[in-house]
Amino acid sequence: MIFSTVLPGQGAPAFLPLSATRPAVQPHGLDSLVRLAEVASPALRAAQARLAAARARIRPAGSRSDPMLMAGIVNLPLRQPNFTADEMTMRMVGLGQTIPYPGKLGLQRRAAAYEAEAADAAVAAARLEVARSVRDAYYDLAYTRQALALLDLNRQILADVVRVADVRYGSGIGRQQDVLQARVETTRVAEMASILLEQQRATLAQLNAALNRASETPLVDADIPERFARAAVSAEARDVHFLAASLGARAAGSPLPSLAALQALAGEASPVLRQQEAMVAAQAVRAEFARTDYKPDFDVSVQYGQRLGRPDMVTAQVSVPLRLQNSARQKPQVAEARAELAALESDYVVARNGLNAEVARLLGLAEQSRTLLALYTVGILPQGRAAVAAALAGYRNGQADMGTVFTTESALLASELSYVRAMTDFAKAIAALEQVTGSSVLPEERP
């Protein structure tokens, strides 16, 4: 519906047509929002608190239990309670200590250390999730802003069409039906704007939730980064090509690495996989500890007895538990630890496969968006603009009816909105790929 501002044959419009009429976004505005969300996010703070708790458990896990101090009276007669009636009556003080079987404390410390590694990876995963929620909401706000700009421009054009229809009807060469149809079309655009405004409010609330602030807190205008727009497709139709002439072929000149390369990067950088690996390692140590638990701990104690008028006495004692419940206790514990280890190993495979599938999905979404943008640039938008311009000229000359004008006009508006949606989807897919791979996936641009 922007036929009065674009000539037939031109390429795709600049993705940010409001830059001259609205306040400019501050440099690195999105990055600032991400950092703010990382500071404010209660989910990230919770993950960091769990990491602190896991780290605090490492040292105690490898420490012996506290020694036991004992004090009492030994062999005091009940009928004549005194310390001289029986030569075995004495005051006793002693010290006892449980000594774990060699290697057990080291296993417990290793398991706790791996659990801390898993918690550290969980913090990294939470940080990425916070950043992704901010970026998704930010780019959706950029879409609604751009779409509302298109609708606002279309509303102005429709106002001109209504005035032309009024003039034609007043001069007797037009129909009242044309005037009514033009006003209905204006109302339809207002309806679309209302829907977009509600989507904008909901998306803003989502972004503010990630920032841990009030839902209606305003935000400076959101824009798609220029590097994404430049990487997606050339603005000039003559520079846009496809890999083949067959139906559904991808746009040529993709700036993205191959799927295998992206999956390899994601596998190395993924905190989710690192968390799963640490959990597997911790459970492997716990399984080893369960096998070692067959070997008994030792209770060692030394007691000193004081007798009145007689020599003092010393008692030393070593206690070793008898493993008579192996079938009822130790063996089931070993089986449980091994089963849990097998489950975690399978969970790791599921996570790795899921990550590879997610990378493939994101790459497919990025390439799909590029191809759509290419199709809109080389054909759909120029042809739509030409059709609208021809329909409007024909209406003014009396060679076309108002219905043709609005049919072509609606199709062009839908194409313009789809172009903006495809650009937004491309930006979101690239941002998500950069998060899961931990690096930039677009080629570095020369200054």
Side-chain angles (χ1 to χ4, degrees):
M1 293 188 189
I2 56 175
F3 49 83
S4 67
T5 61
V6 183
L7 296 176
Q10 286 184 328
F15 188 63
L16 304 173
L18 298 184
S19 58
T21 59
R22 290 199 175 190
V25 177
Q26 296 299 321
H28 309 297
L30 176 55
D31 292 336
S32 298
L33 288 175
V34 170
R35 289 192 295 269
L36 178 61
E38 290 176 352
V39 173
S41 170
L44 185 54
R45 288 201 300 269
Q48 291 169 337
R50 293 188 182 96
L51 171 60
R55 287 174 173 170
R57 287 193 291 266
I58 297 176
R59 186 174 179 181
S63 302
R64 293 179 180 177
S65 59
D66 292 329
M68 182 70 68
L69 178 64
M70 298 170 285
I73 301 172
V74 179
N75 299 327
L76 180 68
L78 294 178
R79 300 183 69 176
Q80 295 180 352
N82 61 71
F83 289 94
T84 59
D86 191 298
E87 64 178 12
M88 295 305 296
T89 300
M90 66 188 79
R91 298 181 181 93
M92 182 273 295
V93 62
L95 194 65
Q97 174 70 59
T98 299
I99 301 178
Y101 194 89
K104 284 187 176 182
L105 293 181
L107 291 174
Q108 291 177 331
R109 186 185 299 110
R110 285 172 55 197
Y114 282 129
E115 289 172 351
E117 288 185 16
D120 183 66
V123 170
R127 183 175 287 107
L128 288 181
E129 185 61 30
V130 168
R132 183 167 184 172
S133 63
V134 170
R135 287 189 169 91
D136 282 352
Y138 182 89
Y139 292 143
D140 283 337
L141 284 175
Y143 166 75
T144 56
R145 176 205 165 193
Q146 187 74 15
L148 286 169
L150 289 172
L151 290 179
D152 184 61
L153 181 60
N154 183 77
R155 179 188 59 79
Q156 299 175 33
I157 302 303
L158 282 177
D160 293 338
V161 174
V162 169
R163 284 192 291 270
V164 171
D166 284 337
V167 170
R168 287 174 56 85
Y169 177 68
S171 61
I173 60 176
R175 301 179 303 168
Q176 185 180 18
Q177 180 182 357
D178 292 345
V179 177
L180 295 176
Q181 189 174 2
R183 297 188 186 281
V184 168
E185 188 69 15
T186 302
T187 303
R188 188 183 69 83
V189 171
E191 176 189 14
M192 296 173 63
S194 176
I195 294 173
L196 280 172
L197 283 172
E198 292 304 323
Q199 292 178 355
Q200 186 180 60
R201 294 186 183 98
T203 305
L204 181 60
Q206 177 184 348
L207 176 60
N208 284 324
L211 298 172
N212 196 26
R213 62 189 188 185
S215 298
E216 296 182 352
T217 303
L219 177 71
V220 178
D221 289 332
D223 291 323
I224 300 297
E226 291 185 7
R227 70 187 185 98
F228 290 168
R230 287 194 295 267
V233 67
S234 173
E236 299 295 333
R238 63 177 179 273
D239 297 329
V240 178
H241 306 283
F242 296 87
L243 294 177
S246 58
L247 187 65
R250 281 183 174 181
S254 175
L256 298 173
S258 66
L259 175 59
L262 289 172
Q263 288 175 336
L265 288 172
E268 295 174 359
S270 172
V272 174
L273 290 188
R274 186 159 59 89
Q275 181 183 10
Q276 290 288 337
E277 290 170 352
M279 292 172 62
V280 169
Q283 185 58 34
V285 174
R286 283 192 288 267
E288 184 179 352
F289 178 83
R291 292 191 298 270
T292 306
D293 202 33
Y294 278 105
K295 302 173 182 179
D297 300 335
F298 302 90
D299 288 327
V300 179
S301 64
V302 177
Q303 302 170 9
Y304 172 77
Q306 181 189 45
R307 299 189 296 176
L308 294 179
R310 297 178 178 84
D312 296 340
M313 305 181 71
V314 175
T315 302
Q317 181 176 321
V318 176
S319 300
V320 180
L322 300 177
R323 298 303 193 192
L324 301 179
Q325 303 294 328
N326 283 342
S327 297
R329 298 188 61 180
Q330 276 74 35
K331 289 183 179 179
Q333 289 173 353
V334 172
E336 175 193 2
R338 289 175 175 172
E340 186 64 28
L341 176 59
L344 288 173
E345 289 173 341
S346 296
D347 287 341
Y348 172 79
V349 175
V350 170
R352 184 188 61 197
N353 292 340
L355 178 65
N356 288 337
E358 177 65 6
V359 171
R361 185 189 71 82
L362 292 172
L363 179 60
L365 177 59
E367 292 295 353
Q368 171 188 318
S369 300
R370 286 188 64 252
T371 301
L372 289 176
L373 291 170
L375 290 171
Y376 284 120
T377 300
V378 300
I380 297 176
L381 291 180
Q383 294 169 9
R385 293 176 186 131
V388 169
L392 183 61
Y395 176 72
R396 286 173 174 168
N397 297 330
Q399 297 176 352
D401 58 18
M402 182 65 75
T404 302
V405 173
F406 287 135
T407 297
T408 55
E409 181 186 15
S410 297
L412 178 58
L413 177 60
S415 297
E416 293 282 3
L417 292 176
S418 296
Y419 181 92
V420 176
R421 181 76 264 176
M423 184 66 76
T424 304
D425 289 342
F426 178 78
K428 292 171 70 174
I430 296 301
L433 280 173
E434 291 183 345
Q435 285 186 348
V436 299
T437 59
S439 60
S440 174
V441 298
L442 295 178
E444 295 294 333
E445 297 183 355
R446 296 180 179 179

